[in-house]
Amino acid sequence: MRERSGSATLRLPSRRPTCSIDVITVTPRGQQLAVLFVRAQQARARWELPWKEARGGDTMGSVARGIVRDVTSSDPAWLEQLGAFGEGRRHPSGADLSIAYVALVAQGVAKHLATNASWLCATDVPSLSPRQRGMLEQGLAAIRTRMDHAPVAFRLLPAVFTLGELQQMYELLLGRRLHKASFRRALQASYLVEPTEEWRSEGRGRPAQLFRYAPRKKKGGRRAVRFDLLT
Amino acid sequence: MRERSGSATLRLPSRRPTCSIDVITVTPRGQQLAVLFVRAQQARARWELPWKEARGGDTMGSVARGIVRDVTSSDPAWLEQLGAFGEGRRHPSGADLSIAYVALVAQGVAKHLATNASWLCATDVPSLSPRQRGMLEQGLAAIRTRMDHAPVAFRLLPAVFTLGELQQMYELLLGRRLHKASFRRALQASYLVEPTEEWRSEGRGRPAQLFRYAPRKKKGGRRAVRFDLLT
DNA sequence: TCAATAGTGTCTGTTAGACATTATGGA
DNA sequence: TCCATAATGTCTAACAGACACTATTGA
């Protein structure tokens, strides 16, 4: 690395920063979101967000994806960088800075969870290091606000699903209730799903028609689905 | 740094990554946005986004703020992290990864621009390294989409301003035209400004009333300003 | 028949955007 | 008087959300 800086005064270098890649891995579990944690074998070990030391060789995204694969033995349905967290030194690794990623994993796909790994409810997370606590908070907020939910929701569902299941997935990701009629209107306008001939009965009540993900553009292009909709 | 990783398989470490802090510094200039670039003294030197090597000692945000101060001799009105960029090795510094920040500087505040620094029009940027090109693209997009424009627009304007000037600032930051009547309706509903007794004439046409930034909450709380408004 | 859930039709208040009109300065 | 710009009033189509109603199953 060139020992220059773009017109900025150069401080005396102390040392190269140490750097970790951390992943906030989230999965739907019933009516809630669960977050993936790991902890060391020893007794009284604290839960941590899974992380790995960053080295010069790999791209950050592939390291993050590898962490998810190693711990859950499944590929994330969605993976996005959250940002770099460096304030304070309080990270399980002691790294100077940490690049955080948010990953979404489909429900039940992670059959072979690593030992010492566990899904914990997002609303009741264990005590973490300050840096990982901030990452987790921002990561859950990013799921609610930053991502485009349409393509993700469908990757978290089976190939066919009821509109009720789809709405529940949206509500889980957005973290708020949606209005049923408005949800279906917006969905119809978005041309994202098409009905199948199948129906599924949950045991009581009227059976629900099954739909599949089939994005099409119609006249005037696909309308944006707003989903501001509140109950 | 502990030589462990959270339940993930550990690759053979190659070396600690080298890391730079880069800043996309943007300022309003007339009807356009201008971006801050620097270049080395030598002949045929390419323009670069200003950057500085990250060391263990400083927080990333203070390094980014220092870069803006050093080059523009003014404080940014807004500074936010864009993310970490590490794909490829093609950065002026040769750093393995770069933490990018986006900064907004008020127009005309930067009186003492560093030598070899220049504001270039955002729509006509020079050839950059692949990594910095990606950063710049995402940075300009983040200004349009990610930030909350209300508090920033006012920090980029003088203490009193016309509603036309305010709308132009919003249009500049959002990168699109707004509908005048809708803009003023939304502004009124937001309780963000209050009129002064002054008027300013631009030479021709009816003089415009001057307003000042005075956020208040009224009954039912401040309504969200949507500014989806298109001409 | 009743409970429970799926799906749909209608109504209303809100509002973005279009458009027109008035207000007020300079040339 | 004419033009340019500011500021404001009115109209309409779109739509979020509420509500009620029908449809279809199991108990």
Side-chain angles (χ1 to χ4, degrees), chain A residues 1-9 11 13-20 38 48 50-61 70-71 81 83-87 89 92-93 95 97 99 115 226 228, chain B residues 1-9 11 13-20 38 48 50-61 70-71 81 83-87 89 92-93 95 97 99 115 226 228:
Chain A
M1 180 160 172
R2 274 158 66 197
E3 282 302 333
R4 186 175 75 74
S5 68
S7 298
T9 61
R11 282 175 57 97
S14 53
R15 58 179 173 77
R16 283 188 182 175
T18 52
C19 180
S20 72
V38 298
E48 315 170 350
W51 56 271
K52 194 173 170 184
E53 187 177 348
R55 292 295 181 167
D58 289 313
T59 68
M60 300 180 294
D70 287 345
V71 182
Q81 191 196 108
F85 293 73
E87 318 307 315
R89 195 71 59 82
S93 69
L97 72 147
I99 317 295
T115 51
R226 310 246 326 224
D228 288 342
Chain B
M1 182 159 170
R2 275 158 64 196
E3 283 301 333
R4 185 175 77 74
S5 68
S7 296
T9 61
R11 285 174 56 95
S14 52
R15 57 179 173 79
R16 282 188 182 175
T18 53
C19 180
S20 73
V38 297
E48 319 170 346
W51 58 272
K52 194 173 170 183
E53 187 178 347
R55 293 293 182 169
D58 289 313
T59 67
M60 300 180 293
D70 287 344
V71 181
Q81 191 195 108
F85 293 73
E87 318 307 315
R89 194 72 57 83
S93 69
L97 71 146
I99 317 295
T115 50
R226 310 244 327 222
D228 288 343

Side-chain angles (χ1 to χ4, degrees), chain B residues 7 15 23 39 47 68 75 82 106 112 117 120 128-129 134 155 175 180 186 189 192 220 230:
Chain B
S7 296
R15 57 179 173 79
V23 187
R39 62 177 166 190
W47 289 112
V68 175
D75 276 304
L82 186 62
H112 307 292
L120 302 180
L128 294 174
S129 69
R155 301 196 62 179
K180 186 168 80 164
L192 287 174
L230 202 61

Side-chain angles (χ1 to χ4, degrees), chain B residues 103-186:
Chain B
L104 282 174
V105 173
Q107 180 172 27
V109 167
K111 302 171 183 70
H112 307 292
L113 206 62
T115 50
N116 302 314
S118 186
W119 295 107
L120 302 180
C121 181
T123 58
D124 184 31
V125 295
S127 159
L128 294 174
S129 69
R131 190 187 295 170
Q132 285 203 333
R133 176 167 39 245
M135 283 170 28
L136 177 56
E137 200 171 312
Q138 270 190 241
L140 293 174
I143 290 176
R144 289 193 292 271
T145 61
R146 197 192 289 189
M147 64 182 242
D148 177 17
H149 298 84
V152 186
F154 297 108
R155 301 196 62 179
L156 295 176
L157 287 170
V160 293
F161 45 83
T162 69
L163 295 188
E165 291 167 345
L166 180 62
Q167 183 177 343
Q168 276 185 32
M169 184 61 69
Y170 267 92
E171 289 176 341
L172 213 49
L173 295 175
L174 290 167
R176 64 169 194 267
R177 302 297 307 277
L178 298 177
H179 187 270
K180 186 168 80 164
S182 297
F183 178 79
R184 296 183 181 218
R185 261 197 309 255

